[in-house]
Amino acid sequence: MNKKIKTVAILGGGPTASALGILLTRKGIKAAMFYVPKQATLIVGESTVPAIVPILRLLGVEDEVRSYSELKPGATVNMSPEHNFYFHFAQIKNGLPEYAYNTPRDKFDATLLNAARKAGVKIIESAAKPEKIPGTDKIKLSDESLAATENYFSGQPDLIVDATGRLRLLPKLLDIAGHEGGRKDTALFAHVDKTQLDFKGHVHSTRLDHGWSWRIPLPDRVSLGIVIPSQHLPKFGATKEERYDNLLTQDSVLSKVAKGAKRLTPVMEHANYQMVSDRIIGDGWVLLGDTAGFIDPVFSSGLLIGLQGAVLLADTIEKGSAQDFQHYQEEVMRHLKIWHGIVDTFYDGRLFNSAIVGEKLKKKYSLVFKIFPYFENNFGRIFTGAVSNVPFNINVMRKFVEWSETKEDHHAMEIH
């Protein structure tokens, strides 16, 4: 890739694809997006984090996003009746805005797509059909796809970016392996009219009899998702709707926090969604966003990783050297690895076990009382999205989590 990149074909029309298109066009690089309009209005990733707000400002869309979203001032985690954790962004010192947004994803995606169109990105409403060049690691657009561009690239594009999400178009075409997470969960989610909320606007992550649930307050409704080990699903019904509705009344936690909730939408289902590609760059192609890797919805990291990746990739493409693309791959992989580690400590109970240990030490020792705000602030960084920015902070948190295992049985906080 040691050449000047002047034309880029982006496969996909989600927020990361749109963001990349906008930023490339500003740099004078011709970008076209192959986009097939989605039929589903419900998309995972309705709760953003403060680290996304500066990117929304960069793209010039924050005011529009605010107009149809619910302000999100913090996050709440309900691990048990005795252990509830509240993170208010205004109390977390990390240089980020003190708020984020809970946003209907159909409107959010449309905002980014329209911004890309206004920026000058060519939007092609048809599925791209890339082809592998035999005997190489290269790909090209099919004659049919090139024809759909109306000679926009004056031939083949210099670079093809796969932002098709879990469709993983190029990894399948090039036989790029990916590794899944250790869990085999299924996510069911829908919008309901109301639920119990500890704090207005907070996203709520709640430990259930099996698995966990999210509650994301949106204007006039709540997005309620259930992430549950797949082996437990059959006992709640035969269809996704039956399973979702029965879980709301039969799970001991949901039956309280969602008591009387009325489902307003069909139920969406995603299974085995933890996947990271083994490599994300190649000869004339790059993977972006969920195509490169998706970890878990628990800390709202998917959209953040995708948009941060789009910003980094735009700069990488402008520079165009092999070293810059290698740096892009290393940075994206580093972020995915960090978030994967955090998610693992959530599921096995170690993350919030360390919070419990810290609270006990805070009450017992005055010295710990003085330094504990540092740990509280680092915990808060997970929910703002800033956790992967400072390796030192990650290492401190990791050591504290490991040390806490020697002080308290973390299995009491495990997600079964």
Side-chain angles (χ1 to χ4, degrees):
M1 294 186 186
N2 288 304
K3 67 175 184 178
K4 184 69 174 178
I5 297 173
K6 299 179 180 179
T7 56
V8 178
I10 304 171
L11 316 184
T16 57
S18 296
L20 177 63
I22 293 168
L23 297 173
L24 290 178
T25 302
R26 289 180 184 175
K27 296 175 183 294
I29 298 170
K30 296 183 72 172
M33 292 168 53
F34 287 85
Y35 166 68
V36 178
K38 295 180 179 178
Q39 301 301 316
T41 58
L42 299 186
I43 304 171
V44 172
E46 296 161 309
S47 185
T48 67
V49 294
I52 279 181
V53 175
I55 301 177
L56 299 182
R57 294 172 181 170
L58 174 66
L59 299 173
V61 298
E62 186 189 0
D63 288 345
E64 184 174 339
V65 171
R66 182 190 298 115
S67 71
Y68 52 71
S69 299
E70 176 89 7
L71 190 71
K72 174 184 172 182
T76 293
V77 183
N78 311 113
M79 294 301 293
S80 72
E82 299 80 24
H83 297 110
N84 297 288
F85 303 91
Y86 312 112
F87 301 91
H88 305 286
F89 298 146
Q91 298 173 355
I92 300 168
K93 309 304 179 184
N94 55 18
L96 291 174
E98 297 178 352
Y99 63 90
Y101 297 105
N102 298 322
T103 182
R105 275 296 302 273
D106 56 337
K107 294 182 178 180
F108 182 85
D109 290 17
T111 291
L112 271 290
L113 184 64
N114 290 333
R117 184 180 286 109
K118 291 178 182 177
V121 180
K122 185 174 181 63
I123 309 297
I124 303 166
E125 292 194 3
S126 66
K129 297 181 179 179
E131 298 175 347
K132 181 179 179 180
I133 300 176
T136 73
D137 189 44
K138 299 180 180 180
I139 57 171
K140 65 177 183 178
L141 294 181
S142 67
D143 292 342
E144 181 182 347
S145 292
L146 279 178
T149 70
E150 300 174 328
N151 203 34
Y152 183 70
F153 297 128
S154 300
Q156 290 287 338
D158 296 327
L159 181 70
I160 297 177
V161 178
D162 186 351
T164 59
R166 291 170 207 143
L167 182 61
R168 304 183 77 244
L169 197 59
L170 294 192
K172 291 176 181 177
L173 182 63
L174 295 169
D175 294 322
I176 298 172
H179 54 277
E180 298 181 359
R183 296 182 64 87
K184 300 299 179 185
D185 293 325
T186 296
L188 302 171
F189 81 106
H191 288 173
V192 299
D193 59 345
K194 61 182 179 178
T195 67
Q196 174 185 313
L197 296 172
D198 295 352
F199 293 95
K200 178 178 172 57
H202 274 217
V203 57
H204 289 60
S205 301
T206 303
R207 186 165 168 259
L208 305 178
D209 296 337
H210 299 291
W212 65 279
S213 171
W214 74 71
R215 282 171 285 150
I216 303 172
L218 298 167
D220 302 320
R221 60 185 57 200
V222 177
S223 171
L224 194 157
I226 304 165
V227 179
I228 183 171
S230 301
Q231 69 267 23
H232 296 298
L233 281 176
K235 62 186 177 184
F236 293 102
T239 68
K240 57 187 178 182
E241 285 79 16
E242 288 177 353
R243 292 169 175 176
Y244 184 92
D245 294 342
N246 285 332
L247 277 162
L248 290 190
T249 58
Q250 295 177 22
D251 181 89
S252 66
V253 179
L254 287 174
S255 63
K256 295 182 178 66
V257 299
K259 185 177 181 180
K262 178 182 177 181
R263 180 161 57 84
L264 304 176
T265 68
V267 176
M268 301 297 292
E269 180 177 24
H270 295 286
N272 297 336
Y273 44 76
Q274 294 181 331
M275 169 69 74
V276 176
S277 298
D278 286 350
R279 60 190 180 106
I280 64 174
I281 60 173
D283 193 349
W285 58 265
V286 187
L287 308 185
L288 174 65
D290 288 357
T291 316
F294 182 78
I295 301 302
D296 197 278
V298 64
F299 294 120
S300 306
S301 61
L303 190 58
L304 171 65
I305 294 172
L307 290 177
Q308 287 179 331
V311 174
L312 178 59
L313 183 55
D315 290 339
T316 299
I317 292 171
E318 182 181 34
K319 295 173 182 176
S321 75
Q323 291 79 10
D324 288 309
F325 278 94
Q326 184 62 39
H327 173 70
Y328 166 78
Q329 175 169 266
E330 291 171 355
E331 278 297 291
V332 172
M333 291 298 199
R334 182 179 71 85
H335 281 208
L336 288 168
K337 183 178 180 180
I338 288 172
W339 282 108
H340 211 154
I342 294 169
V343 167
D344 284 347
T345 62
F346 168 76
Y347 279 106
D348 66 21
R350 290 183 297 148
L351 182 64
F352 286 98
N353 175 70
S354 66
I356 292 170
V357 170
E359 284 287 356
K360 290 181 178 180
L361 291 173
K362 178 180 176 180
K363 294 176 181 178
K364 188 173 183 180
Y365 300 107
S366 59
L367 176 62
V368 174
F369 179 80
K370 293 178 180 178
I371 67 172
F372 193 71
Y374 174 80
F375 292 104
E376 289 180 317
N377 197 59
N378 275 275
F379 263 98
R381 284 175 177 265
I382 295 173
F383 299 93
T384 65
V387 69
S388 60
N389 293 347
V390 185
F392 175 78
N393 290 15
I394 283 292
N395 290 331
V396 170
M397 288 298 298
R398 185 180 295 117
K399 293 296 183 182
F400 189 69
V401 167
E402 292 173 355
W403 179 79
S404 297
E405 292 180 65
T406 67
K407 303 299 179 182
E408 196 87 20
D409 181 12
H410 66 87
H411 293 97
M413 291 288 103
E414 190 174 2
I415 306 295
H416 298 288

